[in-house]
Amino acid sequence: MPAHSWCRQIFPLRRQGFVAAPSPVQIEGRLNFCMTVRRAPRRGKDGLNFHKSAALLDWIVSCFDVLGRFWKSRERQDDKPTRLPRMIQHFASLFEIIAVLGTLSSIGYYLICLWSAVNFLQEQKAAGGAARFTAVLPASILKPLKGTDPGMYESLRSHCLQDYPEYEIIFGVSDANDPAVEVVERLRSEFPQQAIKLVVCGQSLGSNTKVSNLAQMRIESRYEYLVVNDSDIRVGPDYVRRVVSPLVDPRNGLVTCLYRGVASPTLGSRLESLGISTDFCAGVLTARSLEGGIRFGLGSTLAFRAADLRAMGGFESLVDYLSDDYEIGKRISTLGREVKLSEVVVETFLPAYTLRGFLDHQLRWARCIRDSRRWGYTGLLLTFGLPWALLALIAAKGAAWACLLLGVAAGIRLAMAIVIGRDVLQDPEVVRWVWLLPLRDLVALLVWIASFAGHTVVWRGDRFHLKHGRLSRLAS
């Protein structure tokens, strides 16, 4: 066979040129084949000794040897620069996928929240005319106080205006010189016919001063049915009747209420109120739907029997817990009783938070929930729809599909906020301030991340270490 025929077999060419540049592996294989052919002592069909083409083959081998060395040299030089961009590209693609999945999971969560809210409204409508709340159970309202809150007098006064024949109000303070004492004395003057007691709780039974006071106030109460709520809660005239009446049913062990925030004119207070109406209460309704009821209480209202309180160990067993309302609901639930979410919605009047005060309160709240419902709290990462959608848009470099995904997430988030804030909580301000929702959701994500970075909380100016739900006071 002529030498050029061997070359065509060894190095395939097309008349138009090389199909593709050979790789170093291909070059090395062809070189080896050339050397094998060169050493072959046989003759071709043309009767010529193949060794006569040795010079040509030597030249070809030399050329490809140089080419192979050049290729390997270029590969070594370009290896690191090409790997780094590829790694960045792979990381960006992975980040984009994660952001899209986070957005889709958040949209699913928003839809579940909407479904839970609609179910709650339908249950209210179905029970509206049937529930007359005719039962009258003598009740003791326990209100621990410390300092003064915005609109405090009107909030406490609303408890003295109850359309209920037999109840008492017991206020408790740790210090006889507390400013709240003056407010209570003013109430006594305005409502001399109302059974109002003021208890100065001289003992400190644990790190949670509020629960320590409740334990001492409970001793002074006369009635079997107890109602506990925070000092900043304002209620309607039928409040006691509606939250105590369900306890006629022995299956019900605790009645608790949703609440809406009435903001002061600061950004921190607005964001707090918006979070209550569009985020926190949405989570409560979702837990109620997915878990077949709730197994925790809310500080806005805790109505229960003294017998169940004794069975769970009394207030004394909670004096070191930060989330006492959660623990009361959890422990009453373990007694085999149901926790009922009332249709009553109360108001909480928020202070004029600075941004620092707002973040401190949010962080305390977040770490409290983290310690109480760890897995559920961790899963909140999959519910921050607007931040996830924005990250997906950035990762996709503004692609049209990412813009559409952001629009869908924002639309469903807005619908959820309006249905829960306006329709369920009857918050008249939620539509007005809904434009702050993206900022509120971004802050919520940052607080969620920060909540895992420590165990310190600030509560009414005091610093505590929080571990497994228990508080220990830190030195000032």
Side-chain angles (χ1 to χ4, degrees), residues 168-239:
E168 64 178 353
I169 307 174
I170 301 176
F171 298 103
V173 294
S174 299
D175 184 356
N177 296 319
D178 192 296
V181 173
E182 182 180 348
V183 178
V184 175
E185 294 301 334
R186 184 180 167 191
L187 284 173
R188 279 176 161 174
S189 299
E190 184 178 356
F191 299 97
Q193 76 285 358
Q194 180 63 54
I196 298 175
K197 293 182 183 179
L198 176 63
V199 179
V200 178
C201 308
Q203 293 180 288
S204 178
L205 304 179
S207 299
N208 190 327
T209 303
K210 169 189 167 183
V211 181
S212 175
N213 290 353
L214 281 171
Q216 297 168 71
M217 294 159 61
R218 167 70 187 98
I219 300 173
E220 301 296 327
S221 63
R222 292 186 293 166
Y223 300 124
E224 172 65 15
Y225 295 92
L226 306 176
V227 179
V228 179
N229 61 26
D230 294 334
S231 59
D232 58 354
I233 295 298
R234 189 174 299 183
V235 300
D238 58 350
Y239 167 74

Side-chain angles (χ1 to χ4, degrees), residues 122-178:
Q122 289 176 343
E123 290 175 13
Q124 280 186 299
K125 185 177 181 180
R132 298 295 181 180
F133 307 108
T134 55
V136 176
L137 305 174
S140 298
I141 302 176
L142 308 181
K143 293 190 72 69
L145 307 175
K146 182 179 180 180
T148 58
D149 298 308
M152 184 175 181
Y153 183 76
E154 290 301 323
S155 296
L156 299 184
R157 187 175 183 272
S158 68
H159 292 74
C160 299
L161 298 172
Q162 293 300 299
D163 181 18
Y164 204 68
E166 191 172 0
Y167 73 102
E168 64 178 353
I169 307 174
I170 301 176
F171 298 103
V173 294
S174 299
D175 184 356
N177 296 319
D178 192 296

